[in-house]
Amino acid sequence: ETGVTQSPTHLIKTRGQQVTLRCSSQSGHNTVSWYQQALGQGPQFIFQYYREEENGRGNFPPRFSGLQFPNYSSELNVNALELDDSALYLCASSYRGQGYDEQYFGPGTRLTVT
Amino acid sequence: AQSVTQPDIHITVSEGASLELRCNYSYGATPYLFWYVQSPGQGLQLLLKYFSGDTLVQGIKGFEAEFKRSQSSFNLRKPSVHWSDAAEYFCAVRRTGNQFYFGTGTSLTVIP
C-alpha cells in the first residue's frame, strides 16, 4: 500500500510569484485535504476535494486554489505569494464512504517566500 | 470560534514518568476526536481516534485517551514515557464535511 506523497519537499519563491504543490493520495482513497502549518502552529484547514470538486473551505483567500484529478491526486496553487504564506503545506487523503474518514498525512512541502 | 484548545504549549517529563496531555474541544454534536504526533520536519501520524462507544481508547505506541463529554475533554495519556516520544502532539476534531480542526499543539521534551 502506497502512502501519501508530496512534491516538492522544499521550495523557495519570491513574493508575488505563483506556486503549485502536488499530492498523491494513498491507494484506494478518494478525498484529499490541504492544510497550512505555520511555524509553531497547528495545521489550518485550507480546503478539501472530493470527486474532483471542492468540498469545503477554510478561512483562506481565493488566491489559494486547487484541483483534484481522476486518479485522486491533487494540486494546491497559490497566486501572488506573500511572506506570510511561508509554511509547511500538508496534504491528507481519506476514503469517504466508511461512515467515518480517517485522514492520512503526507510529509509536507516546506514553502519559503522571500 | 476555537474548536480545539491545547492549554499546554510545552511539557517536559523524565523518561519513565507518566504523561498526560490536555485537549478541550467545543463542538455541539458528538465529536470525532483524534490525536496526532509530529516529529521534526515530518508529517502527522495518527495515534488514536474516538468516534463513539467506549470512552477510553487505545492507540499506537502505548498511548491512550479518555473522552469526557461533561468536561469537553479528550486527554492523551501514557504510563511510561520513552525518549523517542519527544515530539509535537496535536489534538483534532472532525467537523461536518470531514474538515479537521487542530489545536496549536503541545511540544513534549523527554529528559533522561
Side-chain angles (χ1 to χ4, degrees), chain B residues 33-35 46-49 57-59 63-65 74 76:
Chain B
L33 296 161
F34 304 80
W35 274 99
L46 179 68
L47 287 175
L48 48 77
K49 58 186 181 286
V57 294
Q58 302 297 320
F63 286 92
E64 66 179 25
F74 188 57
L76 181 71

Side-chain angles (χ1 to χ4, degrees), chain A residues 17 44 72 98 112:
Chain A
Q17 287 187 317
Q44 299 290 313
Y72 304 119
Q98 294 176 329
T112 301

Side-chain angles (χ1 to χ4, degrees), chain A residues 35 37 48 56 100 102-103, chain B residues 38 46 49 51 97-98 100:
Chain A
Y35 296 83
Q37 186 179 17
Q48 180 183 94
Y100 62 88
E102 186 172 312
Q103 298 199 345
Chain B
Q38 185 178 38
L46 179 68
K49 58 186 181 286
F51 295 134
N98 197 33
F100 280 54

Side-chain angles (χ1 to χ4, degrees), chain A:
Chain A
E1 184 179 86
T2 306
V4 179
T5 61
Q6 294 185 242
S7 63
T9 305
H10 296 88
L11 202 54
I12 299 174
K13 289 287 189 178
T14 302
R15 189 171 49 186
Q17 287 187 317
Q18 179 266 343
V19 69
T20 297
L21 310 182
R22 294 178 175 82
C23 171
S24 292
S25 59
Q26 184 164 311
S27 177
H29 286 182
N30 57 15
T31 303
V32 174
S33 302
W34 285 92
Y35 296 83
Q36 180 195 66
Q37 186 179 17
L39 198 62
Q41 300 296 315
Q44 299 290 313
F45 176 75
I46 302 175
F47 45 54
Q48 180 183 94
Y49 277 82
Y50 171 62
R51 292 184 174 178
E52 302 179 49
E53 292 190 357
E54 188 178 292
N55 182 51
R57 188 179 186 93
N59 189 28
F60 281 82
R63 59 189 185 85
F64 285 79
S65 63
L67 286 171
Q68 186 181 33
F69 300 98
N71 65 355
Y72 304 119
S73 65
S74 177
E75 288 182 353
L76 165 65
N77 299 289
V78 187
N79 294 321
L81 283 167
E82 301 177 359
L83 296 179
D84 285 348
D85 295 333
S86 295
L88 180 68
Y89 288 85
L90 295 166
C91 163
S93 74
S94 60
Y95 178 74
R96 176 167 294 186
Q98 294 176 329
Y100 62 88
D101 301 306
E102 186 172 312
Q103 298 199 345
Y104 293 83
F105 284 82
T109 293
R110 175 72 62 185
L111 172 64
T112 301
V113 182
T114 62

Side-chain angles (χ1 to χ4, degrees), chain B residues 1 3 12 22 53 57 60 63 66 68-69 71-72 100 104:
Chain B
S3 295
T12 300
R22 296 184 290 166
V57 294
I60 62 171
F63 286 92
E66 186 171 13
K68 293 185 178 180
R69 184 185 298 275
Q71 298 178 17
S72 298
F100 280 54
T104 52

